[in-house]
Amino acid sequence: MLTFDRIVPTTCPFCGVGCQINLHIKENRIVQVTADFDKRPNYGELCVKGRFGTDFVHHPTRLTQPLIRKDIVLGQPFGKARPARSVAEAYREATWEEALTLVADQLARIAQESGGDAIAALASAKLTNEDNYLYQKLFRSLLKTNHIDHCARLCHAGSVVGLMRTIASAAMSNSIEEMENLHTFIVTGSNTTYAHPVIALKMLKAVDKGARLIVVDPRRIDMAKHATLWLQQRPGTDVAVFQAMAHVIVNEELYDKAYVATQTEGFEAYAAHIQRFTPEWAEEVSGVPAWKIREAARLYATAPSAAIYWGMGISQSTHGSDNASALVNLAMLAGHLGKYGGGLNPLRGQNNVQGCSDMGGLPNVYPGYQPVSDPAVKAKFEKLWGVELNDRPGLTVVEMAQAAGEGRIRAMYVMGENPATSDPHLHALYEHFSNLDFMVVQDIFPTETARFAHVILPAASWAEKEGTFTNTERRVQRVRAALPPPGEARPDLDILQDLGRRLEARLGVHTAQGWNYAGAEAVWREVGQAASEYAGITYQRIEEEGVQYPCYTEDDPGTLYLYKEGVPRGRGKFWLMDFRPPVELPDEEYPFNLSTGRLLYHWHGGALTRRSRLNDAAPEPVVEIHPVDAKKLGLVSGDLAKIRSRRGQVVARVRVTDRSPIGTVFLPMHYAEAAANLLTLDALDPDAKIPDYKNTAVAVEKAEVANWELVLA
Amino acid sequence: MTSTISLTIDGQPVEAPADATVLQAAEAAGITIPTLCHHPNLTPPAVCRLCVVEWEGRRTLQPACVTQVAADAVIHTRSPRVDLARRTILEMLATTVDLSDAPELRAMLAEYDAHPERFGEDLTRREHEVIIDNSFFVRDYDKCVLCWRCVEACGTDMEHAFALGFSGRGFETSIATFFENPMPETTCVFCGNCVGVCPTGALKDRRVFELEMATDY
Amino acid sequence: MSYEPVLTARIGKIDPASLTDYEAHGGFQALIRAVELGPGRVVALMEEATLLGRGGAAFPAGIKWRAVHQAEGPKFVVANADESEPGTFKDRVLMEGDPYALIEAVILAGFATAADKGFIYVRGEYARAYQRLRHAIARCYEAGYLGRDILGSGFEFHIELRRGAGAYICGEETALFESIEGKRGYPRLKPPFPTQAGLFGRPTLINNVETLINALHIVLRGPAWFNSIGPAHSPGPKLYPLSGRVQRPGLVEAPMGITLRELIEEHGGGVSGSGEFRVALVGGAAGAFLGPDHLNTPLDFRSLASIGAALGSGAVIVFDTSVDMKPILQRIADFFAHESCGKCYPCQLGTMRQRDIIARMVAGQGRPGDLQLLRDIGQTMRDTSICGLGQTASNAILSAFELKLT
């Protein structure tokens, strides 16, 4: 029997469920991952990624040394960012002193020449709360820029806007432990069994106990097999279905009159507005039979408590914020807010996407969602940090890149993100990045994005540093150092503080706290001062088990579900909207709709999972095509297919399956060699600035050669 | 709200919720009953029968993990009958499978003064080849005690994947996939929750298995 | 003593395929009477008759009927026709010779308990019984005994015929349910009992074929008639499948409680072979060996229980003094090792270890502690097995050692 050198409890680095895991370490390698059966939120359950996929930490391509572009000589001018074919060929190893000197010099120079507004920074939903807090603080306090954003923009921005403008709160309202005891629930735009596997298990337990599940999804996802009702709407017609459900709830007087009267506003106008959205109209638009819409509305509205869960299918759309607002309308009508087993629950995709947003990794808010444009908030943070601050909200992810293309953004710092696979319309992004005067990537792997950087800084992985992640149910949980970082890689907090000290010296700006924190815990204590909803959470309290914010004091048990005392806006606002079709619809030239999404075995851009044994289970890009379409195209499973949009083309292996409806092909987002985002378009939701990853018009044809070694076109 | 009832366990008066199992009531009273197939997160299959107790007035010994308490019951968690049953089951198990990766079971053998060797050498054993058919875990059914935990974890208790079931019957039963297909050809999603609940090392992370093969640990 | 057979009265006298023949010989009179009486009265009659389950467990049938009668629907009636106990062939004779009687009994039970559907689970090897039942069910649908509004009562009832696939364990009632549900034939934990949560998790009346046939006669002739036959504690007519070394093996119908001697000598024509009685296996492989000392023991549930044996299915296999018992014991041990389902450890492991040890004893390679091992295994199986299979798997073998048969 194998014995282990140590067993270190920590939080899983993959999705937003935030499973608690134990890393079994032998000779500084993770050899096994287990989970405690009595610990929230997963109670011993894991998915393939958490249990078997953490070996990316030991992958030979880990960055272990700072790297500088070979053509850069310190003190000399150098060229713009442009993609290197190979990191090994284009970069040379450097010392930390050299690398950080270059970074500090360039950022300071550009800030002095063009102002902070010429610098943009991508925070990371992968990294800890402490990393992100310090990161946004560094850019806001020293470089005076609010151009800070992260990939939440590309996932739940639609949800955030849809929720903020109606109830003024965007977090998942209810908790994972309620899921086993649901009475009725809607899952829409979430392939839960793939994207949040452990949450799916809790939901299935509820179904086993008799809960009624309504799945609203164009794809035959696994959850549909367990559903009481499956509403298979045409892609992009979500609003039609939800509005028609509201129509039924209002006209059959199934709504919670007391809740609507006391907790909401705008009902009369809303009730009048939705009269035209009959189930029959919605059937025309969405293809969902009117009777199913009626049944779904009745099931949802008449339940004593009913929850709505959603994912990217709702949010990643040019009408993502409307989709989310339509769901808010339903929940307010039925009065399913502030209840156990109810609520509005956007399932967060990344391990710390909740935390990164909470920590102010957004262009318009400080930690705790305090607006940068609010003078009182500005004053508060100027006092806390002891520096002057910028009150102009910054640019969002896609806007930053576009601004770089236009020359308005001159320098970009990317920490633990990989926009060169995750942003839409990648060819445009490559152009934009190539126009940057200076680009820094701080990461654990030479990602697709790193190939544009002037400087690449090697960071410690999640298993090599201390901190906290906040999971989808607002639970702040510990992350612990189980291993030393490889080579000269350093924890992000160390890198940021080193850089902070150098920038202070060059810019002559000094923050109240300086850049010599005693460790992650000291940073976390400052978070509590910056945003009171975390003030009650201390490292000591979350040593064994995490606590759910809001948690204002140390004797506050935390918050299982939100809105018990009403929504933060006071009265929830019914949002009026019309149905808008997707921006790009199939036509004669591009006859198919492309939907992108996830597989069980991979995660996001694939930077981690493609470098773990998970890759054995899904080694190559596969496009899912409906049997009817495949027949027409003369394709069978195992063939190669070229998928072409107005913006680019990729080749993928064909799998013929009826998971997606006729006319829709599905391509996972994880494969750089067939990056789905070479095809997608960068049209944005007008309010949330989120692109539509689920509706791209494409043509599909048989291909002979895979050509997968050419990652950058 | 369930009512509370009084009963006697090992001569000790015990209060327990009326819907508690004997195991729960005993644990609450600080009395340890050995278990093997029972796992707090899974439906007890009550197959190992190591947790049996003697309930005065009942014909057979009662499995503590699933038997509900009753008012005024007089229960003995250790008695010659109970110990004989536990010892005999442990001895038969030790003569059937490889318990080298099951330290808790080996400790139980010692505690019940079990002597598997008294059964002799010429016994039918269960022997299987190690199955290595995926990158994530191996199945070494020489070590499988048929506790059913993996089957339940793969089924409605956890994963709802239903990749694991049984083949064979009686002594020749083994945990198997449908038609004994390799794991990647089943509904398995490689969550490894089966590995997590396996008490004897029959299911093992492939990395651990390979390290053990490669070293003298 | 003259006893007029009741349960087997029609067998050999009627054409088993003919519904009209069955009707001409009193068929469906019990159901007609039951419809007149109404379900509540029928259940009361069943309670008044002391009908102990004929499958072997001797559970009072009336209690089951009452429980299912009172339970919320949907509910089921199941006829356990998976007759698999070695030496037992009573249900086979009933089903092959008088198939309509079983169907009538199942309909009657369904009517009395307001069940939605009946199942007859027939042992897979009983091809002829299966064919005859299948034909009979079709005829009953045509004649209106099955389907909607049976006999103008407004009662709707259906019967589904199922075949086993050769597993002894599927005669265990909960394993039988699992089998009907399409699952592996593993016995369930009890409680809950079938009357609470049986087939498909619904309240279920499950009775042995012989028990159900008795119900027809209780309805027709009344509980007083039934209770007057045989001993008061376990009355009624009983079928004894008699085999082995007797002059006239076959199915014997007699009042409950005849002695082993009466059975062998009066009904079986005496011991064959050497002509000298050595031992009888009563109750099949799950039963026990009885020696000459027990020739006068009445063959009823209570009398046999009082001497540590069991009536079981009523099967009696007779051995004369010329029989070598070693291969018999090996056969019994092999049987249980083969038929154990493997669910619970004591039976899964114990039946195999019992087989291993008997094998080496038979081969003359026994070890000093082997008899103690067999006793430990036997007690463990009896005390801790989930179902009757394991609980009885050592009975015959241990009783053989008590009688020093080897």
Side-chain angles (χ1 to χ4, degrees):
Chain A
M1 252 181 107
L2 202 63
T3 54
F4 301 99
D5 297 339
R6 57 188 178 280
I7 297 172
V8 181
T10 189
T11 301
C12 177
F14 293 107
C15 79
V17 178
C19 291
Q20 294 302 290
I21 59 176
N22 300 313
L23 303 180
H24 296 238
I25 309 292
K26 181 141 197 104
E27 289 166 0
N28 282 330
R29 291 181 78 87
I30 304 171
V31 291
Q32 177 177 298
V33 172
T34 60
D36 291 338
F37 291 96
D38 55 354
K39 236 185 209 180
R40 287 184 179 83
N42 50 312
Y43 291 102
E45 292 169 10
L46 294 175
C47 77
V48 62
K49 293 185 281 283
R51 194 180 295 275
F52 299 118
T54 55
D55 52 339
F56 68 84
V57 175
H58 306 299
H59 197 266
T61 58
R62 274 292 296 271
L63 294 169
T64 57
Q65 192 81 31
L67 299 172
I68 296 178
R69 287 281 284 253
K70 275 184 177 162
D71 55 4
I72 296 178
V73 180
L74 281 195
Q76 304 284 316
F78 49 82
K80 289 182 181 279
R82 59 176 194 281
R85 284 250 166 231
S86 142
V87 171
E89 279 169 28
Y91 293 81
R92 65 176 174 86
E93 291 191 347
T95 63
W96 276 103
E97 180 60 37
E98 234 182 323
L100 286 177
T101 300
L102 177 62
V103 174
D105 283 350
Q106 294 303 318
L107 291 178
R109 177 177 67 85
I110 291 169
Q112 281 159 349
E113 286 173 10
S114 308
D117 284 341
I119 299 173
L122 289 182
S124 176
K126 292 293 309 151
L127 303 194
T128 65
N129 288 323
E130 293 77 0
D131 293 336
N132 282 301
Y133 174 82
L134 217 56
Y135 186 73
Q136 57 89 35
K137 179 180 175 181
L138 183 142
F139 283 92
R140 289 194 158 112
S141 67
L142 300 182
L143 295 164
K144 317 291 182 197
T145 177
N146 282 322
H147 300 321
I148 298 160
D149 205 2
H150 70 285
C151 65
R153 184 66 51 196
L154 307 174
C155 66
H156 266 304
S159 312
V160 170
V161 170
L163 288 160
M164 289 304 289
R165 68 192 182 188
T166 49
I167 59 175
S169 165
M172 175 164 140
S173 65
N174 289 52
S175 293
I176 294 170
E177 67 180 75
E178 295 164 49
M179 294 178 189
E180 283 188 37
N181 303 313
L182 295 168
H183 179 280
T184 298
F185 63 115
I186 296 175
V187 172
T188 179
S190 158
N191 187 359
T192 325
T193 42
Y194 279 18
H196 301 87
V198 171
I199 277 184
L201 303 190
K202 310 289 178 198
M203 291 176 172
L204 292 182
K205 278 179 202 169
V207 171
D208 290 344
K209 288 196 249 173
R212 304 176 302 185
L213 163 62
I214 302 160
V215 169
V216 186
D217 203 297
R219 298 183 68 224
R220 186 192 296 276
I221 55 170
D222 289 346
M223 293 303 279
K225 288 192 301 201
H226 302 272
T228 309
L229 278 178
W230 173 33
L231 280 57
Q232 188 183 23
Q233 82 278 35
R234 287 186 195 112
T237 62
D238 322 72
V239 165
V241 174
F242 300 137
Q243 293 279 66
M245 282 175 67
H247 180 278
V248 174
I249 294 171
V250 168
N251 288 11
E252 295 188 5
E253 298 207 28
L254 303 174
Y255 59 97
D256 183 336
K257 297 191 177 70
Y259 187 89
V260 167
T262 60
Q263 304 288 322
T264 69
E265 67 184 42
F267 174 73
E268 297 301 327
Y270 174 68
H273 175 73
I274 58 169
Q275 284 313 311
R276 70 188 106 138
F277 304 118
T278 63
E280 283 69 23
W281 166 83
E283 178 170 342
E284 287 275 301
V285 172
S286 69
V288 180
W291 71 264
K292 269 197 186 181
I293 295 175
R294 289 204 165 84
E295 278 306 306
R298 290 169 191 152
L299 280 181
Y300 176 71
T302 59
S305 186
I308 303 178
Y309 300 94
W310 73 90
M312 296 301 93
I314 289 300
S315 186
Q316 286 178 340
S317 159
T318 50
H319 50 271
S321 41
D322 280 355
N323 286 346
S325 292
L327 294 172
V328 178
N329 289 344
L330 285 177
M332 292 195 303
L333 278 178
H336 289 327
L337 293 175
K339 278 183 191 173
Y340 185 92
L344 290 160
N345 301 286
L347 299 172
R348 311 310 305 250
Q350 304 222 40
N351 56 325
N352 197 34
V353 68
Q354 183 65 50
C356 186
S357 302
D358 295 343
M359 292 303 109
L362 297 171
N364 56 336
V365 290
Y366 290 112
Y369 303 95
Q370 303 173 75
V372 294
S373 54
D374 180 333
V377 169
K378 177 170 178 268
K380 171 183 167 180
F381 278 89
E382 285 181 340
K383 181 157 177 259
L384 177 67
W385 292 340
V387 293
E388 265 184 61
L389 293 167
N390 177 345
D391 62 2
R392 291 179 302 283
L395 298 172
T396 61
V397 169
V398 179
E399 291 172 325
M400 280 177 194
Q402 288 165 348
E406 294 160 15
R408 287 186 285 128
I409 296 289
R410 291 182 58 201
M412 204 157 168
Y413 198 116
V414 180
M415 172 178 81
E417 290 239 331
N418 191 13
T421 47
S422 58
D423 278 20
H425 192 357
L426 288 177
H427 287 302
L429 181 92
Y430 299 161
E431 299 263 311
H432 300 328
F433 277 179
S434 301
N435 196 37
L436 284 166
D437 290 335
F438 187 61
M439 182 160 179
V440 184
V441 168
Q442 175 176 324
D443 211 308
I444 68 172
F445 290 118
T447 61
E448 290 71 28
T449 307
R451 293 164 190 239
F452 289 86
H454 294 91
V455 183
I456 304 173
L457 303 175
S461 78
W462 121 102
E464 298 147 7
K465 63 185 182 184
E466 300 286 331
T468 57
F469 292 156
T470 306
N471 79 348
T472 189
E473 56 168 358
R474 300 167 277 102
R475 189 180 297 281
V476 179
Q477 311 188 108
R478 281 285 271 122
V479 173
R480 290 184 180 85
L483 303 165
E488 290 191 29
R490 292 168 68 184
D492 299 271
L493 277 186
D494 284 10
I495 302 171
L496 293 174
Q497 292 187 80
D498 199 336
L499 182 60
R501 290 191 294 269
R502 290 165 194 271
L503 282 171
E504 282 202 354
R506 283 167 182 71
L507 296 164
V509 183
H510 297 281
T511 57
Q513 291 80 11
W515 300 89
N516 288 299
Y517 290 85
E521 187 174 4
V523 178
W524 180 253
R525 277 197 294 269
E526 189 176 316
V527 171
Q529 293 166 26
S532 57
E533 56 261 53
Y534 315 103
I537 302 175
T538 63
Y539 271 35
Q540 200 189 346
R541 277 188 75 182
I542 60 173
E543 180 64 25
E544 292 294 326
E545 193 168 89
V547 173
Q548 288 172 287
Y549 85 79
C551 175
Y552 296 97
T553 59
E554 286 196 36
D555 50 11
D556 178 344
T559 307
L560 185 67
Y561 58 92
L562 302 173
Y563 320 141
K564 215 185 293 188
E565 317 293 336
V567 298
R569 194 176 174 276
R571 279 171 176 261
K573 182 178 166 64
F574 280 103
W575 194 261
L576 308 191
M577 70 199 87
D578 289 316
F579 170 69
R580 284 186 286 135
V583 170
E584 194 175 80
L585 288 167
D587 55 22
E588 265 177 37
E589 202 181 342
Y590 298 96
F592 292 96
N593 178 52
L594 169 75
S595 180
T596 72
R598 299 188 223 211
L599 301 179
L600 174 63
Y601 298 99
H602 284 301
W603 197 67
H604 293 257
L608 309 182
T609 55
R610 298 296 304 281
R611 292 178 171 91
S612 82
R613 56 179 151 161
L614 294 167
N615 201 45
D616 297 353
E620 55 181 36
V622 170
V623 60
E624 292 183 359
I625 301 178
H626 192 278
V628 169
D629 298 328
K631 198 170 173 204
K632 252 189 268 173
L633 295 164
L635 292 169
V636 296
S637 288
D639 282 353
L640 291 170
K642 184 194 286 177
I643 304 119
R644 204 156 43 77
S645 79
R646 290 184 173 82
R647 291 154 295 279
Q649 61 182 48
V650 301
V651 174
R653 186 77 64 193
V654 170
R655 180 180 297 143
V656 178
T657 163
D658 63 356
R659 276 195 150 230
S660 295
I662 296 169
T664 291
V665 298
F666 175 84
L667 191 65
M669 63 202 258
H670 314 296
Y671 297 87
E673 63 271 44
N677 285 323
L678 291 168
L679 311 177
T680 52
L681 75 163
D682 54 0
L684 302 179
D685 178 291
D687 303 305
K689 310 289 186 194
I690 186 168
D692 191 333
Y693 287 123
K694 308 293 186 191
N695 295 285
T696 300
V698 295
V700 181
E701 62 211 51
K702 194 165 180 160
E704 299 303 330
V705 187
N707 211 19
W708 285 329
E709 67 278 8
L710 290 179
V711 173
L712 293 175
Chain B
M1 281 301 288
T2 52
S3 54
T4 300
I5 53 133
S6 313
L7 66 160
T8 307
I9 304 180
D10 293 349
Q12 184 179 328
V14 172
E15 304 264 299
D19 61 353
T21 63
V22 173
L23 183 65
Q24 288 163 342
E27 268 174 8
I31 297 165
T32 306
I33 296 174
T35 58
L36 170 54
C37 64
H38 178 266
H39 186 284
N41 295 42
L42 303 172
T43 309
V47 296
C48 78
R49 315 308 266 189
L50 287 173
C51 69
V52 287
V53 295
E54 192 166 346
W55 182 314
E56 287 188 13
R58 292 201 177 174
R59 182 172 58 91
T60 58
L61 300 177
Q62 304 287 305
C65 63
V66 290
T67 305
Q68 202 175 314
V69 293
D72 304 324
V74 179
I75 292 167
H76 306 279
T77 72
R78 293 297 290 260
S79 73
R81 242 176 112 193
V82 166
D83 282 17
L84 172 79
R86 289 181 187 161
R87 178 166 63 244
T88 308
I89 292 170
L90 287 166
E91 286 171 341
M92 294 194 295
L93 201 55
T95 59
T96 302
V97 295
D98 170 7
L99 298 179
S100 61
D101 258 345
E104 292 92 352
L105 267 176
R106 291 207 310 276
M108 241 185 259
L109 279 157
E111 188 186 343
Y112 285 88
D113 194 27
H115 291 282
E117 66 281 0
R118 74 185 178 117
F119 277 74
E121 305 291 315
D122 52 343
L123 299 169
T124 315
R125 285 183 72 88
R126 281 201 290 261
E127 275 161 6
H128 302 268
E129 295 277 306
V130 179
I131 306 172
I132 306 176
D133 57 12
N134 67 81
S135 299
F136 306 112
F137 59 86
V138 301
R139 293 180 283 154
D140 182 359
Y141 288 135
D142 272 5
K143 294 179 176 152
C144 175
V145 292
L146 295 173
C147 69
W148 290 33
R149 287 186 188 182
C150 57
V151 177
E152 300 201 319
C154 193
T156 50
D157 279 349
M158 287 187 178
E159 195 60 35
H160 291 73
F162 306 101
L164 290 175
F166 303 94
S167 80
R169 186 169 76 183
F171 188 85
E172 305 296 339
T173 307
S174 72
I175 305 296
T177 60
F178 205 58
F179 290 131
E180 305 194 23
N181 282 334
M183 271 298 167
E185 292 168 31
T186 69
T187 52
C188 177
V189 291
F190 299 102
C191 64
N193 285 325
C194 55
V195 180
V197 296
C198 178
T200 59
L203 298 174
K204 194 174 273 185
D205 190 314
R206 182 165 172 179
R207 218 169 280 281
V208 173
F209 176 79
E210 283 170 355
L211 260 179
E212 286 174 349
M213 292 287 110
T215 61
D216 297 321
Y217 296 120
Chain C
M1 195 178 85
S2 81
Y3 169 79
E4 192 65 32
V6 177
L7 306 175
T8 54
R10 275 184 291 264
I11 294 171
K13 299 200 178 77
I14 62 164
D15 173 1
S18 168
L19 176 58
T20 46
D21 216 7
Y22 178 68
E23 287 170 327
H25 288 79
F28 283 108
Q29 291 306 310
L31 183 62
I32 290 166
R33 179 86 184 112
V35 169
E36 287 165 14
L37 293 170
R41 187 66 200 121
V42 173
V43 171
L45 292 176
M46 289 299 290
E47 288 176 312
E48 287 162 33
T50 311
L51 171 58
L52 304 182
R54 299 310 199 225
F59 189 82
I63 294 177
K64 289 190 187 179
W65 286 51
R66 169 65 63 193
V68 177
H69 173 76
Q70 286 173 344
E72 289 269 321
K75 45 196 175 181
F76 301 106
V77 169
V78 178
N80 185 347
D82 191 45
E83 183 179 57
S84 307
E85 191 62 48
T88 308
F89 45 85
K90 61 191 181 69
D91 298 340
R92 173 181 179 175
V93 171
L94 291 174
M95 291 188 286
E96 290 183 1
D98 195 10
Y100 290 98
L102 176 59
I103 292 162
E104 182 184 355
V106 172
I107 300 169
L108 187 149
F111 175 75
T113 55
D116 297 81
K117 189 172 180 182
F119 287 84
I120 301 175
Y121 188 92
V122 188
R123 180 179 179 186
E125 291 87 337
Y126 282 4
R128 177 172 291 148
Y130 174 78
Q131 293 301 346
R132 289 192 174 164
L133 285 166
R134 199 169 72 150
H135 171 78
I137 288 170
R139 291 289 293 116
C140 286
Y141 269 106
E142 288 165 15
Y145 291 116
L146 279 168
R148 289 190 180 161
D149 194 19
I150 294 167
L151 296 175
S153 64
F155 176 61
E156 176 174 353
F157 194 69
H158 300 273
I159 291 180
E160 191 172 329
L161 187 61
R162 292 292 192 95
R163 284 182 83 174
Y168 176 68
I169 187 62
C170 288
E172 198 283 333
E173 57 190 17
T174 57
L176 187 154
F177 295 152
E178 295 280 302
S179 176
I180 291 179
E181 291 177 15
K183 301 175 193 157
R184 231 177 130 81
Y186 276 144
R188 298 177 184 167
L189 303 171
K190 290 189 238 181
F193 295 98
T195 53
Q196 305 163 303
L199 186 61
F200 298 108
R202 302 304 309 170
T204 303
L205 173 67
I206 178 163
N207 277 143
N208 169 260
V209 172
E210 184 187 345
T211 312
L212 286 164
I213 302 289
N214 268 296
L216 295 178
H217 299 287
I218 289 167
V219 169
L220 276 178
R221 299 163 193 245
W225 160 82
F226 184 88
N227 291 344
S228 71
I229 300 169
H233 51 75
S234 41
K238 180 73 190 100
L239 299 177
Y240 294 98
L242 178 63
S243 64
R245 292 293 172 90
V246 288
Q247 300 291 350
R248 288 197 308 273
L251 184 64
V252 175
E253 178 176 344
M256 179 76 89
I258 62 165
T259 63
L260 191 53
R261 186 187 305 279
E262 285 168 337
L263 185 66
I264 295 171
E265 289 178 3
E266 290 173 22
H267 296 278
V271 178
S272 65
S274 72
E276 196 182 335
F277 176 83
R278 181 173 194 193
V279 77
L281 181 59
V282 176
F289 285 102
L290 297 185
D293 293 352
H294 289 117
L295 277 170
N296 293 325
T297 303
L299 297 174
D300 65 58
F301 292 115
R302 187 185 286 185
S303 305
L304 286 168
S306 70
I307 59 163
L311 178 61
S313 61
V316 175
I317 307 174
V318 177
F319 302 91
D320 71 295
T321 48
S322 71
V323 177
D324 177 4
M325 293 307 286
K326 284 194 186 108
I328 306 293
L329 293 191
Q330 182 72 68
R331 184 72 194 82
I332 291 171
D334 287 352
F335 174 77
F336 283 110
H338 181 68
E339 294 295 349
S340 168
C341 76
K343 180 172 180 177
C344 68
Y345 289 19
C347 176
Q348 169 209 110
L349 302 167
T351 54
M352 181 55 79
R353 288 292 166 261
Q354 178 173 269
R355 195 199 79 158
D356 287 343
I357 293 164
I358 294 287
R360 70 189 178 210
M361 290 170 95
V362 167
Q365 287 159 0
R367 292 159 52 98
D370 276 357
L371 186 56
Q372 188 56 46
L373 282 176
L374 287 176
R375 289 200 178 111
D376 287 356
I377 294 168
Q379 187 178 338
T380 301
M381 288 200 286
R382 190 162 52 246
D383 267 350
T384 67
S385 293
I386 288 178
C387 78
L389 193 160
Q391 288 171 10
T392 59
S394 63
N395 286 356
I397 285 165
L398 291 178
S399 72
F401 282 102
E402 296 302 316
L403 293 170
K404 304 200 185 319
L405 294 182
T406 56

